[in-house]
Amino acid sequence: AQRVTQPEKLLSVFKGAPVELKCNYSYSGSPELFWYVQYSRQRLQLLLRHISRESIKGFTADLNKGETSFHLKKPFAQEEDSAMYYCALSFSGNTGKLIFGQGTTLQVKP
Amino acid sequence: KAGVTQTPRYLIKTRGQQVTLSCSPISGHRSVSWYQQTPGQGLQFLFEYFSETQRNKGNFPGRFSGRQFSNSRSEMNVSTLELGDSALYLCASSLVPGGGNTIYFGEGSWLTVV
């Protein structure tokens, strides 16, 4: 069955420290992977997707098909990065269905 | 450009009642999907609509239903409410399903069943 796992419920770091939010998935086909972020009192929004291979707000994520992982990284955390982060998987083909991980709360301390 | 709009934002219902939630997608978006968010289960896919047709359905009982209208607006209905249906219900829209199209979420409808 398709599954997305985020092993950490809470990740707490100090400002300026590197951040890595882990995401592992299980899917037999060719997945599309995404990271969504939800800041306090705001709606869920797309942070980045693997097919774009872009860096948004200093965050990057690389799809590792061998390890079935899509970890989110940032070299220097900022306080404004504090939020809930969700890793999500979409199936190949014409569907908008997303399978979400349980989410990781990132807390960046001053 | 207005985002995905969901109404009502908050509501309280009694067990056994039914509820209808509404979603207006971003103008021009024809694909709408619904998710249930709870502290215990996280974000779970309910259903997906495109061109008034249900394309995918999640693993929820038949009490959960939805529809999409010709103007792409969507509604979801939950009948015979149970306490466990208390959740944040999120609607999301995209131009068309899949193809790397960005999915935009609404702020959600908070449902409390008492």
Side-chain angles (χ1 to χ4, degrees), chain A residues 43 49 86 94-96 98, chain B residues 35 37 48 55-56 100 102:
Chain A
R43 64 185 71 198
R49 68 185 93 189
Y86 292 95
N94 295 325
T95 175
L98 292 170
Chain B
Y35 293 81
Q37 186 174 22
E48 176 189 20
R55 293 170 55 91
N56 274 299
T102 299

Side-chain angles (χ1 to χ4, degrees), chain B residues 6-15 17-22 34 76-78 81-83 85-90 107-114:
Chain B
Q6 293 186 243
T7 56
R9 291 292 322 282
Y10 305 92
L11 65 166
I12 301 174
K13 291 285 188 178
T14 304
R15 270 183 302 175
Q17 287 186 313
Q18 70 148 17
V19 67
T20 299
L21 307 178
S22 180
W34 289 88
M76 67 163 282
N77 184 279
V78 188
L81 284 165
E82 300 177 359
L83 295 178
D85 297 333
S86 294
L88 176 64
Y89 290 89
L90 293 174
E107 292 181 292
S109 292
W110 283 97
L111 170 65
T112 301
V113 182
V114 297

Side-chain angles (χ1 to χ4, degrees), chain A residues 3 5 13 15 40 50 56 61 83 92 98 102 107:
Chain A
R3 191 185 197 106
T5 303
V13 302
K15 177 182 170 182
S40 179
H50 89 272
I56 303 292
S92 53
L98 292 170
Q102 289 289 84
Q107 185 183 74

Side-chain angles (χ1 to χ4, degrees), chain A residues 23-25 33 61-71:
Chain A
C23 172
N24 289 89
Y25 68 91
L33 274 299
D62 288 317
L63 178 60
N64 185 323
K65 290 188 177 181
E67 295 183 359
T68 60
S69 68
F70 187 57
H71 302 328

Side-chain angles (χ1 to χ4, degrees), chain A residues 4-11 21-22 35-36 83-88 100-106, chain B residues 37 41-43:
Chain A
V4 176
T5 303
Q6 294 178 248
E8 304 135 330
K9 286 191 75 172
L10 172 67
L11 183 62
L21 298 167
K22 291 183 167 46
W35 277 99
Y36 279 81
M84 184 72 150
Y85 291 80
Y86 292 95
C87 182
F100 284 91
Q102 289 289 84
T104 299
T105 300
L106 174 63
Chain B
Q37 186 174 22
Q41 300 295 318
L43 280 153

Side-chain angles (χ1 to χ4, degrees), chain A residues 27-80:
Chain A
Y27 178 52
S28 55
S30 295
E32 293 183 32
L33 274 299
F34 307 84
W35 277 99
Y36 279 81
V37 60
Q38 190 168 30
Y39 300 102
S40 179
R41 297 191 186 88
Q42 294 188 28
R43 64 185 71 198
L44 197 60
Q45 57 188 283
L46 178 68
L47 181 61
L48 52 80
R49 68 185 93 189
H50 89 272
I51 57 173
S52 301
R53 298 189 64 81
E54 58 199 343
S55 173
I56 303 292
K57 299 184 179 183
F59 285 98
T60 59
D62 288 317
L63 178 60
N64 185 323
K65 290 188 177 181
E67 295 183 359
T68 60
S69 68
F70 187 57
H71 302 328
L72 183 68
K73 299 177 184 179
K74 185 169 183 176
F76 308 104
Q78 302 299 314
E79 288 181 69
E80 55 265 30

